[in-house]
Structure formats: C-alpha cells, structure tokens
Amino acid sequence: MTTPFPFTAVVGQDDLRLALLLNAVSPAVGGVLVRGEKGTAKSTAVRALSALMPTLDVVSGCRFSCDPGSPDPGCPDGPHEPGAFETRAARMVELPVGASEDRLVGALDIERALSEGVKAFEPGLLADAHRGILYVDEVNLLHDHLVDLLLDAAAMGASYVEREGVSVRHAARFLLVGTMNPEEGELRPQLLDRFGLTVEVAASREPDQRVEVVRRRLAYDDDPAGFAARWAEEEAAVRARIVAARELLPSVRLGDGALRQIAATCAAFEVDGMRADIVMARTATALAAWAGRTEVLAEDVRQAALLALPHRRRRNPFDAPGLDEDKLDETLEEFGGSDDDDPDPDPGPDGPGGGGGQPEPDDAPQGDGDTAARPEAGEDGQPQPSGAGEQSAARASEPFRTKVLSVPGIGEGAAGRRSRARTEHGRTTGARRPRGALTKLHLAATVQAAAPHQRARGRSGPGLVVRRDDLRQASREGREGNLVLFVVDASGSMAARQRMSAVKGAVLSLLLDAYQRRDKVGLVTFRGTAADVALPPTSSVDAAAARLETLPTGGRTPLAAGLLRAHDVLRVERLRDPARRPLVVLVTDGRATGGPEPVALAGRAARLFAADGVASVVVDCESGPVRLGLAGQLAGELGGTAVTLDELRADSIAGLVKDVQRRAA
C-alpha cells in the first residue's frame, strides 16, 4: 500500500487545509470544492486527509459500513445481529470522471428481479464511501447527471437506486471533496451551491516557500515511509485535535448575535436561497470547536463567510469569485451581537489550518464579481503598443439572450442541452438488443420478447422465465453538447463605426448560451497576415470571454487563413472527440484582402466545411447604406446560413442555424 504524503507536511495552503479539517470535524458543513490551477497540491491534500480521519467500528460483513451502535434499519444487508463488528480506517473513495451511473450508485440485476423476484444489488461507490471520504477529481468534467446524483446523496445522507419499479435504498453519509481547474470549465451555479465550502488555491510566488515545497516533495519521493515517520507526531496531534473538536461540537453555542451577523452577511452579498446561511452557521460552529471554544465569535463568522460565500456570489460564468472584504467587515461591525462581543478574542491553538488564514489580495479577485476592463494585449497576453494599422481592444456591448442554435440530425455526443442525440437519459424512443452490459431496461419490450416462450420453458410459478436473449435496452433521445468554434474577423474593416463592440457583445451572448448548454468552445481570430488559435477547444467559456475582451483589431483580412485554421482545429478535435459534433460561427463582413486572389481562396476554404458536412452560421457584420452581400455569398459556400449583426443584436436570430442546413435536407 502506498504511503500517503502527510497532511501536516503540505506547505502553505492554509485555507485549503482548514476547509478540509472543518469538514472532518463536522461533515454536516457539506463538503469542499477546491478550485485552482494545476500543481497546487489539491489532490495531495485531499488524499492526505484520509490518514487523519478517526477509525470506524463497522458491522462485520456489511457491505455498507453500518455502525454497530446504530445500524441502518433499511440496510440491504440487514437486519444485523448485535455484537459482531470490526474496526478499520475510514475509506477514501475516488470517483473517476468516466464512471457510469451504475458504478456510482450501484447496479440491480434486472434479470433476477424479473425471473426470481429478488433484489440482487451490487453496491456502488456511494456505498463504499459511507462514513468516509468521496473524492471527485476534476468534478467540473463529470457528467451533470452524475454530479446531481452524488450531491443529492450527500444532501439526503442516502442513495436510492430504482430500475423499472425495483428500488433499493442505503445510507450514504460521506465527506464530499471535489477539485477542479477553472480553465477546463465551470460547474453550473446550482451545483456550486450544493458544495458547502469553496477554496481558491494558487502556487506561492515566494521563492523560499517554493523551495520548501520542492525539498519536501523530493524527500518524500526518495523515502515515503521515512518521510511520513518524521511527520508522525504532527499527524497524531492533528488527529487527536479532530477527535476533540468532534466531541466538543455539540456543546458549542451559536448565539443570536452570531446568527444575526450570518443572516446580515448573506443578505448584504445577495446570495440566493437559505443554504448559505445554514452552511455559514455550521461552519462557524465547527470553527469554534476546532479552536477549542464553546462560543462562536465574530471572527468565526468572518472566516465562515470567506469559505462559504464566494462561489455563491457568481451570477454567470464571467463573474470572478470572491468577496469584498471591506464590505464584509462593515456588515459584521454593523450587526455585531452583544453576546459575541470580545475586544481581544482568543484565536485558539495554532496548528495546521488553525485560525483559518484569509485569502491574500493577490490570491483571490476582489470586488463585487463584475468583469474588470483589461488592457490591450497581444496573443502572448502581454500589453502591446498600438502599431500601424492596429487599434486598441474595444469593450463588448451588453450581452443579450440568444435563440437556440442547433446542429441538424441526431448525434451521439456528450450529454448537454443543444442538439438532438441518442443518450442514456431522455425520452424513450424504442428498444434494441443490448450491446454489452444492460443499463436501461425497456420493460415492455423485454416482456414481449419473453412471453411467447413461457410454455416451452416450462413456466410453473408466478414469475416470468426470462433469458438473456429476451432483455431489451431502451433507446433514448436527449440533448448533446457541441463544439461551438467561433471564427472572428479582427481586421481593420471590423473596427469601422464601432462595430467591434457590437461584435464582441454578440459573441459574448453566444458564449453565455454555450455555457448554459454545456458546450465546448474554441476561438480562432484572423487579421493582418495570419490567423491564430486564440483559444483551443475547451469547456471554459470564461477563458474564451477573457481572450475575446483583449482582442485588438487592425490590418488586412486574411479570411482564407482564418477558415483554414478553423478547419485544422476541427480536424484535430475530431480525432480527440469524434462523437462531439461541431458548429462553426463565423463573425465577419465577408471581405477578403491580402495576397493573390483572396476571395477565390476564401471560397475554396469555405467549401472544405461544406464537403465535411460541418454546420455553420455566418454573422454578417457589414453595415452602411451600401452593402456588398459578401457574407451571404460566403455562407452559401460554407453550406450554412447567414444572419446580419442587426438581427443578432435585436434578439431576432430567427433561425440563426435555422436548422442550420436546410439546404442539405
């Protein structure tokens, strides 16, 4: 068995360690979402926490880790006889990104249920994680319906598995920890709200601290057991402190003054619903217990707000998480309760995460979450001087609601909310023989297949005699997410009459739509003499918005280069994710300049998309009393459709993809 890296040996990351420890003290806090760039010890800290969790007494032979002192009366392995139990360490169960629903919640043997009338249940990861830790790395890449399932189980403390009227329930109380890199996409606000606490982590910029990180990691890699032994005393101390805090927790008093501060803080920051208030109350209580106190102080409320509110402040994916700490302090001072007043509160004993640790100004964005203006930047992200033919980056106009863009036909891509697709979830459209393991039974078709053979099979009891060949898989139709590739003309002609501001506003609106429909997005820009991939295909629409915001304009219009670069991006992405269908959104006035025969070259490049059957939309940005109609001609070459920028701004996209390729139908 691999020796985990010691929790107390993690350098820095005070907020991360504190949030994990608070959940170990009080699992009712609701789990932790750890957001941060790669290589910031997110996974290391989570895995190290499992070694600090107190040992458990479990019923011998129970697959669901029932507590012998109070076994679950509905346990599928019950009823349990009193007496027989064993002691073991708390488990840390990892949920892979590619896990199936049956792997998460468990699987019912439908064949035995139909033929024998028994509930043959194979437990899933939720059962394994009961009374332990469930760790989801890259939780933002997990399918939405799986995230819904595990968050529902975490909230209810139980997992329900139902297949065609056959249901099983078992206890599932666990510490839920998710980690994610925001560059790879965000969670929906509804799912963010279900995590109790969130922590933003970043690598230290202090050379001495970075040196210590490297020194400890190398020492651990050379001799894991020896390195862990050197930290054994600190680990034992933290483990004992967790046990003591758990025992103290029921005695902690949350006074009316602290409750008033909590309610006022949530109201001041305009968080939705009441979950934030409840999580803050539980977190403040756990903070007091962790500090060895039986009274919740104003400092506990402040730290609870910093951990429980930032992710609940986001209204759309372009809002930066974080809290205005000056506003927080003013609110706490204004609504300070007399029973919490203490001019010199005791911060509690020091230790890993002791006293919390507030986010440094450089580690978390400040303000009310509005996207701030950024200086003009080049492709490398560095500020660029305005050169010949180049104009400064225009600010995007206000985004608006767009109508649905969809790719024609039926796909088989990742679950989403845009185009029609054959999926595991959705309305049932038919039945087929299962390929591999049966996942969604079509009961009527199965009974219909088995019924003619009952006499030949010697049926004598009430149940059907069902064979493997009788089983039918339900065919279902739902929605998939697509790859929306934006190809944006940033040439000098696009900057005329302030059109670029409107163009950016339109693209921003479509990015918001892509976020809501769970698409991947990419951004190709062209100007001057070449085209650039400003953002390779990603699930992070806020990254695309950031690149769009700093996009300068100027120079000629290498339209053919932009189309060829976009075609190359789609070719590579097709190899990586062949099931995800693309939609190209070309934003241009249709002009092509620079080089020999630029218009003819652009036409030939456009016909490559038509030959591949790629769905496309041309947003025509041409304006003025005299229009050449070049964008419409380009849409014809692409085999797509065109819409004017005015129509887009008027929220009248009327068939923006109007079944994008009626011509191909």
Side-chain angles (χ1 to χ4, degrees):
M1 180 177 179
T2 304
T3 303
F5 191 91
F7 186 85
T8 51
V10 174
V11 178
Q13 307 295 14
D14 289 341
D15 285 344
L16 169 58
R17 294 191 293 160
L18 178 63
L20 293 172
L21 289 169
L22 292 177
N23 275 271
V25 170
S26 176
V29 166
V32 186
L33 176 63
V34 187
R35 299 163 44 92
E37 59 197 31
K38 52 189 174 294
T40 49
K42 300 188 299 292
S43 300
T44 298
V46 175
R47 293 188 175 100
L49 178 67
S50 61
L52 298 178
M53 300 292 285
T55 57
L56 302 174
D57 291 336
V58 298
V59 174
S60 298
C62 178
R63 297 174 297 169
F64 301 87
S65 302
C66 279
D67 184 349
S70 56
D72 179 11
C75 177
D77 283 354
H80 298 299
E81 296 295 331
F85 71 91
E86 58 188 61
T87 301
R88 62 165 174 79
R91 292 173 178 160
M92 193 195 76
V93 178
E94 295 195 39
L95 175 62
V97 170
S100 65
E101 181 178 340
D102 284 348
R103 183 72 185 99
L104 176 63
V105 300
L108 280 166
D109 191 333
I110 299 297
E111 185 175 354
R112 289 190 63 191
L114 290 174
S115 60
E116 303 175 27
V118 298
K119 296 180 181 179
F121 179 64
E122 184 64 30
L125 294 177
L126 291 180
D128 292 341
H130 179 46
R131 304 176 67 199
I133 301 172
L134 180 61
Y135 172 45
V136 188
D137 194 14
E138 306 293 355
V139 65
N140 52 324
L141 302 183
L142 199 65
H143 284 182
D144 284 350
H145 74 281
L146 293 184
V147 178
D148 289 332
L149 285 172
L150 70 90
L151 290 176
D152 284 342
M156 296 185 297
S159 174
Y160 294 85
V161 184
E162 185 165 347
R163 298 289 186 272
E164 304 298 337
V166 181
S167 61
V168 172
R169 172 213 167 273
H170 66 82
R173 294 184 296 275
F174 48 81
L175 166 55
L176 176 63
V177 182
T179 58
M180 60 175 283
N181 184 347
E183 293 178 357
E184 297 171 337
E186 288 286 353
L187 282 170
R188 302 200 315 266
Q190 298 92 327
L191 300 182
L192 279 173
D193 184 56
R194 300 293 291 275
F195 281 94
L197 309 180
T198 187
V199 178
E200 295 278 342
V201 296
S204 172
R205 299 297 182 257
E206 292 293 330
D208 291 342
Q209 195 170 69
R210 295 175 74 96
V211 166
E212 186 61 23
V213 170
V214 175
R215 182 182 291 118
R216 292 187 187 183
R217 185 69 208 190
L218 293 178
Y220 170 77
D221 290 340
D222 289 341
D223 182 10
F227 183 81
R230 292 196 291 274
W231 291 87
E233 185 175 344
E234 288 84 351
E235 293 281 287
V238 174
R239 190 180 299 109
R241 188 174 172 187
I242 292 174
V243 173
R246 283 186 172 186
E247 294 174 351
L248 183 63
L249 187 65
S251 303
V252 176
R253 175 177 175 270
L254 181 64
D256 289 342
L259 277 173
R260 184 173 178 80
Q261 285 183 317
I262 289 170
T265 300
C266 292
F269 285 100
E270 300 179 350
V271 296
D272 295 331
M274 295 298 298
R275 184 175 284 119
D277 303 62
I278 296 170
V279 170
M280 274 190 66
R282 290 171 174 167
T283 304
T285 303
L287 279 161
W290 177 247
R293 289 186 266 99
T294 58
E295 189 82 10
V296 173
L297 304 179
E299 67 177 59
D300 300 321
V301 176
R302 186 182 194 279
Q303 184 63 65
L306 292 173
L307 293 172
L309 297 188
H311 60 303
R312 294 183 168 90
R313 292 268 299 128
R314 292 175 67 106
R315 291 295 185 270
N316 65 61
F318 309 141
D319 290 342
L323 292 181
D324 183 339
E325 294 193 35
D326 291 337
K327 181 178 179 180
L328 174 61
D329 291 335
E330 290 173 3
T331 303
L332 293 176
E333 183 177 355
E334 180 182 355
F335 291 91
S338 59
D339 58 347
D340 287 335
D341 289 341
D342 188 341
D344 187 19
D346 178 11
D350 294 332
Q358 301 168 3
E360 296 294 332
D362 291 337
D363 291 340
Q366 302 296 313
D368 60 0
D370 292 338
T371 304
R374 296 179 177 86
E376 177 188 346
E379 294 300 328
D380 59 358
Q382 298 300 318
Q384 300 289 321
S386 296
E390 180 176 307
Q391 303 181 33
S392 60
R395 290 184 61 89
S397 62
E398 285 297 316
F400 51 86
R401 185 176 180 83
T402 69
K403 293 187 178 179
V404 180
L405 294 78
S406 61
V407 177
I410 300 180
E412 295 182 345
R417 299 183 176 184
R418 184 172 296 280
S419 305
R420 294 173 57 197
R422 286 181 285 270
T423 61
E424 288 293 319
H425 299 270
R427 64 186 182 90
T428 300
T429 58
R432 58 176 174 80
R433 292 181 181 273
R435 295 189 293 267
L438 178 72
T439 55
K440 300 292 182 183
L441 177 76
H442 194 298
L443 183 59
T446 298
V447 172
Q448 187 177 15
H453 307 291
Q454 296 306 294
R455 181 176 297 178
R457 293 173 183 174
R459 175 188 172 191
S460 58
L464 285 174
V465 180
V466 179
R467 303 282 169 80
R468 175 69 185 174
D469 289 344
D470 300 328
L471 299 179
R472 295 294 183 269
Q473 175 86 20
S475 298
R476 300 192 176 189
E477 183 178 306
R479 293 282 170 175
E480 67 176 0
N482 297 112
L483 166 60
V484 182
L485 182 62
F486 294 93
V487 185
V488 179
D489 183 350
S491 63
S493 62
M494 292 290 290
R497 302 183 181 91
Q498 301 298 315
R499 277 186 291 172
M500 202 60 195
S501 177
V503 167
K504 287 187 176 182
V507 177
L508 198 64
S509 303
L510 294 171
L511 282 171
L512 278 168
D513 182 68
Y515 167 77
Q516 294 166 352
R517 300 188 186 282
R518 315 307 293 163
D519 294 313
K520 292 179 71 173
V521 296
L523 178 63
V524 173
T525 64
F526 57 94
R527 68 186 183 99
T529 60
D532 295 295
V533 180
L535 185 71
T538 175
S539 297
S540 180
V541 295
D542 50 343
R547 301 295 174 88
L548 179 72
E549 188 175 8
T550 59
L551 178 66
T553 57
R556 294 181 179 273
T557 310
L559 179 56
L563 292 171
L564 290 174
R565 181 58 63 92
H567 188 268
D568 192 50
V569 169
L570 294 183
R571 178 183 60 80
V572 174
E573 192 64 18
R574 194 176 296 118
L575 297 174
R576 294 174 176 168
D577 190 358
R580 189 180 292 269
R581 296 186 296 163
L583 170 66
V584 173
V585 178
L586 175 60
V587 184
T588 182
D589 57 9
R591 302 187 183 191
T593 59
E597 299 184 342
V599 176
L601 284 175
R604 286 199 291 270
R607 287 192 288 274
L608 293 175
F609 292 86
D612 290 342
V614 176
S616 59
V617 177
V618 178
V619 180
D620 184 0
C621 301
E622 192 175 28
S623 62
V626 179
R627 302 193 180 191
L628 303 178
L630 298 175
Q633 297 175 23
L634 184 60
E637 299 279 6
L638 286 164
T641 188
V643 60
T644 67
L645 187 61
D646 290 339
E647 291 171 335
L648 197 66
R649 288 173 58 93
D651 198 15
S652 171
I653 308 180
L656 208 139
V657 176
K658 225 163 191 185
D659 302 277
V660 176
Q661 313 223 7
R662 282 182 304 185
R663 303 176 187 181

